[in-house]
Amino acid sequence: MIKTTISQVHKYVDQEVKIGAWIANKRSSGKIAFLQLRDGTGFIQGVLVKEEVPEELFQAAKSVTQESSVYVTGIVQKDERSPLGYELLVRGLEILHHSVDYPITPKEHGTEFLMDHRHLWLRSRRQHAVMKIRNELIRATYEFFNEQGFVKVDPPILTGSAPEGTTELFATKYFDEDAYLSQSGQLYMEAAAMALGKVFSFGPTFRAEKSKTRRHLIEFWMIEPEMAFVEFEESLEVQEQYVSYIVQSVLKNCQIELKTLGRDTSKLENIKAPFPRISYDDAIKLLHEKGFDDIQWGDDFGAPHETAIAESFDKPVFITKYPIGIKPFYMQPDAERDDVVLCADLIAPEGYGEIIGGSERIHDYDLMKQRIEEHHLPLENYQWYLDLCKYGAVPHSGFGLGLERTVAWVSGVEHVRETIPFPRLLNRLYP
Amino acid sequence: MIKTTISQVHKYVDQEVKIGAWIANKRSSGKIAFLQLRDGTGFIQGVLVKEEVPEELFQAAKSVTQESSVYVTGIVQKDERSPLGYELLVRGLEILHHSVDYPITPKEHGTEFLMDHRHLWLRSRRQHAVMKIRNELIRATYEFFNEQGFVKVDPPILTGSAPEGTTELFATKYFDEDAYLSQSGQLYMEAAAMALGKVFSFGPTFRAEKSKTRRHLIEFWMIEPEMAFVEFEESLEVQEQYVSYIVQSVLKNCQIELKTLGRDTSKLENIKAPFPRISYDDAIKLLHEKGFDDIQWGDDFGAPHETAIAESFDKPVFITKYPIGIKPFYMQPDAERDDVVLCADLIAPEGYGEIIGGSERIHDYDLMKQRIEEHHLPLENYQWYLDLCKYGAVPHSGFGLGLERTVAWVSGVEHVRETIPFPRLLNRLYP
Ligand SMILES: [Mg+2]
Ligand SMILES: [Mg+2]
């Protein structure tokens, strides 16, 4: 007997296979029973016609409960109507574990109930699809950066100083010292870029932010590439190529999952470099034309502004060259005018907001020192970082992409809480 | 002019190229100057013969300081003697930034000094090589698990309960609650395996352990695969295939780095599945034969014991079926005798110690509950975990591989502090 998984049944058409699986759902009449089977690799429908199978097998299929674990044997058949393209004519059903009163039934449940049962909710067709798309975005990220010669570098999570204040940081005792959980590995990645050229990190980051929006998580994953000898414009090209690559990878490898989620894939097919650029100046003008009178030059954008700007484009759009006053100290001022910096945020279409923030970094020692002082930051915390301007400084640029917002956009799910296996939200630390 | 990197010069033999680089080192006589150039992708020697180049270029090369950043142009030449196989006949040198008094000179420095300058130390040839090998182990890990159909799942770092006590945990306030930094995502990965079949995590873990050995880091990265419908023996096969795959990938793709480190690669060439297995019982006998009288059946192994056992094998060795009393509560007892569990530690050769710990997990509800109680663990913290035994339980197995110990072994470096970009040790939280 061939032991296989649902994702591999296409190799065994008209053959009998054995699959370890769970009963996701079932329905039956007097004459026919349908088992929705899942095994982690996918979902397949098992069919039993009463007249064609032994009576005890038909009764077993009719009485098996939701989320019972089974070894099922059956003959693989083509089935054009199913998302998978195949179904299973069930010939045997060995029940491994009989599940009683599984809490998540096919009826509707409230969000808090589902979040309390996240360890089980992940088994649902929709959550399964989102997690597979997340996985594909991760896989494609490694593939893209590895192929481009980037080196994966893991910046530390525990850091000894809280450079920009402790308000949104998680603090812990590190033996006798104070330590904080990292909000970004960027400064470390800059040091690494001077050693390894092009580097990227991909790890968890933490913001103790009291926001309760559909775009915020307390613990989220970020990709932070940093590139020596790369200036502002070239960095934008890397960003648009990267985002195109991962979106096209999902389109190529997650057709079933996108269908499960009802995602309009025509909107994703269009996501190919180059992406449009609009300056901050022009974005302000555009907002005024659209009737926004709550924003002036020098203000940062809120979510409604980002959404309104994004609506003018059918691809992600770079908003470039923000006012120096609303951006962090380390961004390189524009050589042509000193009131804006060489930065860009990438805004996703369809109201998903900012998915990337990036910039060219200052590499002049005096300017960097001056900017640290202007921001009233403690210079002693930045001694090692200033060393990068002291010893062989070079132009360099980097950016950070938020994984969960990207998963939300590509999957088309409304809230980031569904984009990470075990979300951490304000008042949500369980399970 | 072709702009390229050191890793790509083999494509441009006898052609003139331009490279952004740093001066790693230099030496010169009256007639010839040698620049050791590095750009993150590799190291190459630049050569200037006084009679062949303009006098100001020769003088520039003689006076350029260590770690100055430059754009260098030159003609690529084959050079059998260099590790790279190529050298550069320098034809131009544009100094971007003149470095003064770079702290890490070619002379010897103490460990603490180097650790205080870790942000610069990473630029050295040796540290560069270790980081590239780390990168290759990471890259090959994703490749292996993706090809085998595993889904990357990120378990949470912040957790609300401290299941096995708080002694070795970092604690933080999570708004009004207490939270702890994860030491292992295993229990979450088991939940994920029931949803996604075969899963793996790869992220940072934290142990507030007051150990100061060459094998311990406070913050380290771990790969934790978990597999539904996979029993003990099959899990060992996945482990030996995985370890073989990543070691052979390093051998294939990091020849220059292994040479830089002086690694005896013949010892790595031998690392191919299958790996030997020795039972805990036989390992105790072996130790007694070797003269160890400080260990009895029921004791856990210390580093000297692991090293002595490993010396009897020229591959990593699985020590299987440890006494139930020295292993965690969730391990499946052996069906044939209830005093040992279906677990294995994988011990690396050459004294590098345990790199993997793994086991089959209990999937029977009553047994799991009993084991939690026997370990005096608070049952209320395990309610969601017990749900996995309640709803469609299946046999499943998993393991955890410590990235830094594996980097140390494959690179042949003595201490794990060199295997992570910014190590966190007892009394070391900087830079
Ligand atoms: Mg913004
Ligand atoms: Mg051990």
Side-chain angles (χ1 to χ4, degrees):
Chain A
M1 177 87 60
I2 298 155
K3 210 178 153 185
T4 188
T5 59
I6 293 171
S7 65
Q8 301 301 310
V9 292
H10 61 271
K11 295 180 183 164
Y12 306 108
V13 176
D14 297 329
Q15 295 182 58
E16 189 164 336
V17 297
K18 178 176 180 175
I19 298 172
W22 292 267
I23 307 298
N25 205 350
K26 64 159 192 207
R27 61 197 168 83
S28 59
S29 68
K31 291 183 179 168
I32 193 158
F34 297 101
L35 300 176
Q36 302 304 326
L37 298 158
R38 64 168 195 88
D39 74 347
T41 74
F43 290 76
I44 195 169
Q45 177 165 273
V47 183
L48 298 96
V49 178
K50 188 175 160 69
E51 289 186 352
E52 294 175 4
V53 298
E55 182 59 21
E56 62 268 30
L57 173 59
F58 191 75
Q59 289 309 324
K62 279 192 78 164
S63 64
V64 67
T65 54
Q66 190 195 351
E67 284 304 316
S68 287
S69 49
V70 299
Y71 276 117
V72 60
T73 52
I75 296 155
V76 179
Q77 301 248 292
K78 282 210 178 184
D79 175 41
E80 300 302 333
R81 294 154 304 172
S82 81
L84 184 74
Y86 303 90
E87 63 176 20
L88 199 66
L89 291 186
V90 176
R91 288 291 172 261
L93 192 65
E94 177 194 342
I95 294 175
L96 284 177
H97 182 244
H98 181 74
S99 179
V100 181
D101 295 334
Y102 185 69
I104 305 178
T105 57
K107 68 163 192 186
E108 286 273 309
H109 295 281
T111 300
E112 284 308 293
F113 179 84
L114 291 171
M115 293 288 279
D116 283 341
H117 293 84
R118 183 64 177 169
H119 55 294
L120 302 176
W121 189 24
L122 286 172
R123 303 180 182 189
S124 77
R125 206 179 270 260
R126 176 180 160 91
Q127 299 308 311
H128 180 269
V130 177
M131 288 303 119
K132 295 271 274 193
I133 288 172
R134 178 184 171 100
N135 175 63
E136 179 60 18
L137 290 167
I138 296 169
R139 193 201 63 74
T141 292
Y142 276 88
E143 192 170 76
F144 178 84
F145 287 113
N146 287 326
E147 279 178 9
Q148 306 268 326
F150 285 66
V151 175
K152 171 103 196 290
V153 167
D154 299 308
I157 306 295
L158 291 167
T159 53
S161 58
E164 302 191 44
T166 57
T167 18
E168 294 190 347
L169 288 180
F170 288 104
T172 187
K173 282 315 272 187
Y174 189 88
F175 306 103
D176 300 327
E177 294 174 79
D178 290 315
Y180 304 92
L181 299 192
S182 175
Q183 286 198 342
S184 157
Q186 183 199 311
L187 308 192
Y188 291 98
M189 296 308 286
E190 290 183 60
M194 302 307 135
L196 292 149
K198 293 183 182 181
V199 293
F200 74 110
S201 70
F202 198 162
T205 44
F206 306 87
R207 285 195 197 167
E209 209 177 336
K210 289 202 169 158
S211 320
K212 215 175 169 176
T213 83
R214 68 185 186 87
R215 292 183 185 176
H216 285 88
L217 289 166
I218 303 297
E219 179 179 324
F220 58 101
W221 282 64
M222 194 151 63
I223 295 120
E224 295 190 279
E226 197 71 35
M227 303 163 281
F229 294 103
V230 167
E231 296 178 18
F232 177 58
E233 291 292 345
E234 194 181 338
S235 171
L236 297 188
E237 287 163 22
V238 174
Q239 292 170 50
E240 63 196 359
Q241 281 157 22
Y242 165 50
V243 171
S244 305
Y245 188 85
I246 59 177
V247 172
Q248 294 305 317
S249 293
V250 169
L251 271 173
K252 191 175 158 205
N253 298 320
C254 298
Q255 276 299 326
I256 293 174
E257 289 78 12
L258 291 166
K259 201 177 282 179
T260 296
L261 295 167
R263 183 71 171 104
D264 179 353
T265 51
S266 68
K267 293 211 166 108
L268 298 177
E269 273 151 25
N270 192 36
I271 309 303
K272 287 184 180 155
F275 296 162
R277 286 122 168 93
I278 182 173
S279 70
Y280 172 89
D281 291 358
D282 288 343
I284 291 286
K285 278 183 211 145
L286 179 67
L287 288 172
H288 289 167
E289 282 162 22
K290 291 192 174 208
F292 285 87
D293 53 10
D294 61 343
I295 187 161
Q296 299 305 323
W297 198 98
D299 297 339
D300 204 357
F301 300 121
H305 304 121
E306 287 179 350
T307 300
I309 296 163
E311 273 167 7
S312 296
F313 303 92
D314 57 359
K315 291 182 182 185
V317 54
F318 287 113
I319 308 178
T320 64
K321 301 191 181 179
Y322 283 66
I324 193 165
I326 55 171
K327 285 291 175 184
F329 72 92
Y330 49 72
M331 292 190 175
Q332 177 73 31
D334 190 354
E336 284 156 33
R337 43 186 278 218
D338 61 6
D339 61 339
V340 297
V341 287
L342 296 178
C343 73
D345 285 357
L346 184 67
I347 314 298
E350 303 174 67
Y352 284 94
E354 179 191 332
I355 53 171
I356 288 184
S359 75
E360 186 171 327
R361 324 302 192 185
I362 293 171
H363 64 283
D364 178 80
Y365 182 87
D366 293 331
L367 178 59
M368 183 70 93
K369 190 155 168 279
Q370 179 197 321
R371 297 288 293 143
I372 291 171
E373 286 164 350
E374 282 169 7
H375 277 245
H376 307 293
L377 299 169
L379 208 55
E380 65 275 16
N381 286 352
Y382 290 94
Q383 286 310 329
W384 73 260
Y385 182 60
L386 276 164
D387 277 356
L388 308 182
C389 294
K390 225 163 155 178
Y391 305 114
V394 300
H396 61 288
S397 302
F399 61 95
L401 175 136
L403 175 61
E404 286 75 17
R405 285 191 186 179
T406 308
V407 175
W409 164 46
V410 175
S411 304
V413 307
E414 176 78 5
H415 198 297
V416 288
R417 69 183 163 226
E418 292 186 51
T419 63
I420 188 165
F422 296 93
R424 295 304 181 233
L425 302 159
L426 203 61
N427 309 321
R428 167 65 61 191
L429 189 54
Y430 177 90
Chain B
M1 175 87 61
I2 298 155
K3 211 178 152 184
T4 189
T5 59
I6 293 172
S7 65
Q8 301 301 308
V9 294
H10 62 271
K11 295 180 184 166
Y12 306 109
V13 176
D14 297 330
Q15 295 182 59
E16 190 163 335
V17 298
K18 179 176 178 176
I19 297 172
W22 291 266
I23 307 297
N25 203 351
K26 65 159 191 207
R27 62 194 168 85
S28 60
S29 67
K31 291 181 178 169
I32 192 160
F34 297 101
L35 299 177
Q36 302 303 328
L37 298 158
R38 65 170 193 86
D39 75 345
T41 73
F43 290 76
I44 194 169
Q45 177 164 272
V47 183
L48 298 97
V49 179
K50 188 174 159 70
E51 289 185 354
E52 293 174 4
V53 299
E55 182 58 21
E56 61 269 29
L57 174 58
F58 191 74
Q59 289 309 324
K62 280 193 75 165
S63 64
V64 68
T65 53
Q66 190 195 351
E67 282 305 316
S68 287
S69 48
V70 298
Y71 276 117
V72 61
T73 52
I75 296 155
V76 178
Q77 301 247 294
K78 282 210 175 180
D79 174 40
E80 301 302 333
R81 294 154 304 173
S82 81
L84 185 72
Y86 303 90
E87 63 176 20
L88 199 66
L89 290 186
V90 177
R91 288 291 173 261
L93 193 66
E94 178 195 341
I95 294 175
L96 284 177
H97 183 244
H98 182 74
S99 179
V100 180
D101 295 336
Y102 185 70
I104 305 178
T105 57
K107 68 163 191 186
E108 285 273 310
H109 294 281
T111 299
E112 284 307 295
F113 179 85
L114 291 171
M115 294 286 280
D116 283 341
H117 292 85
R118 183 64 177 170
H119 55 294
L120 302 176
W121 189 26
L122 286 172
R123 302 180 183 189
S124 76
R125 207 179 271 260
R126 176 179 160 92
Q127 298 308 311
H128 179 269
V130 177
M131 288 303 117
K132 294 272 274 193
I133 288 171
R134 177 184 172 99
N135 175 63
E136 179 60 18
L137 289 168
I138 295 169
R139 192 201 64 72
T141 293
Y142 276 89
E143 193 171 75
F144 178 84
F145 287 112
N146 286 326
E147 280 177 9
Q148 306 268 328
F150 285 66
V151 176
K152 170 103 196 291
V153 167
D154 299 308
I157 306 293
L158 291 167
T159 52
S161 58
E164 300 194 45
T166 59
T167 17
E168 294 190 346
L169 288 180
F170 289 104
T172 187
K173 281 315 271 188
Y174 189 87
F175 307 103
D176 301 327
E177 294 175 77
D178 291 315
Y180 304 91
L181 299 192
S182 174
Q183 286 196 342
S184 159
Q186 182 199 313
L187 307 193
Y188 290 99
M189 296 308 287
E190 290 183 61
M194 301 308 136
L196 292 149
K198 293 185 181 179
V199 293
F200 73 111
S201 70
F202 197 164
T205 43
F206 304 88
R207 284 194 197 168
E209 209 178 336
K210 289 203 168 159
S211 322
K212 215 175 170 176
T213 83
R214 67 186 187 87
R215 291 182 187 178
H216 285 88
L217 289 166
I218 303 297
E219 178 179 323
F220 59 100
W221 283 62
M222 195 148 65
I223 295 119
E224 294 189 280
E226 197 70 36
M227 301 162 285
F229 293 102
V230 167
E231 296 177 20
F232 177 58
E233 291 291 346
E234 193 181 339
S235 172
L236 298 188
E237 287 164 22
V238 174
Q239 293 170 49
E240 63 196 359
Q241 281 157 22
Y242 166 49
V243 171
S244 304
Y245 188 85
I246 59 177
V247 171
Q248 295 304 319
S249 293
V250 170
L251 271 174
K252 189 173 159 206
N253 298 320
C254 298
Q255 275 298 326
I256 293 172
E257 290 76 13
L258 291 166
K259 202 177 280 178
T260 296
L261 295 168
R263 183 71 172 103
D264 179 353
T265 51
S266 69
K267 294 211 165 108
L268 298 178
E269 273 150 25
N270 193 37
I271 309 304
K272 286 183 181 157
F275 297 162
R277 286 122 167 92
I278 181 174
S279 70
Y280 172 90
D281 291 357
D282 288 342
I284 291 285
K285 278 183 211 146
L286 179 67
L287 288 172
H288 289 167
E289 282 162 21
K290 291 193 174 209
F292 285 87
D293 54 10
D294 61 343
I295 188 160
Q296 299 306 324
W297 199 97
D299 297 340
D300 204 357
F301 301 121
H305 305 122
E306 287 179 352
T307 300
I309 297 164
E311 273 167 6
S312 295
F313 303 93
D314 57 359
K315 291 183 183 185
V317 54
F318 287 112
I319 308 178
T320 64
K321 302 191 180 178
Y322 284 64
I324 194 164
I326 55 170
K327 286 290 175 185
F329 72 90
Y330 48 72
M331 292 189 175
Q332 176 73 31
D334 191 354
E336 284 155 32
R337 45 187 275 221
D338 62 5
D339 60 341
V340 298
V341 286
L342 296 178
C343 73
D345 285 356
L346 184 66
I347 313 297
E350 302 174 69
Y352 284 94
E354 179 192 332
I355 54 171
I356 288 183
S359 75
E360 185 170 328
R361 325 301 192 183
I362 293 171
H363 64 283
D364 178 79
Y365 182 87
D366 293 333
L367 179 59
M368 183 70 93
K369 189 155 168 282
Q370 178 196 323
R371 296 289 294 144
I372 290 172
E373 286 163 351
E374 282 169 8
H375 277 246
H376 306 293
L377 298 170
L379 208 56
E380 65 275 17
N381 287 351
Y382 290 94
Q383 286 310 329
W384 72 260
Y385 182 61
L386 276 165
D387 277 356
L388 308 182
C389 293
K390 225 162 154 178
Y391 304 115
V394 299
H396 61 289
S397 302
F399 61 95
L401 175 135
L403 175 61
E404 286 75 17
R405 286 191 185 179
T406 307
V407 175
W409 163 47
V410 175
S411 303
V413 306
E414 176 77 5
H415 197 297
V416 288
R417 69 182 162 227
E418 293 185 50
T419 63
I420 188 165
F422 296 93
R424 296 302 181 235
L425 302 159
L426 205 59
N427 309 322
R428 166 65 61 191
L429 190 53
Y430 177 91

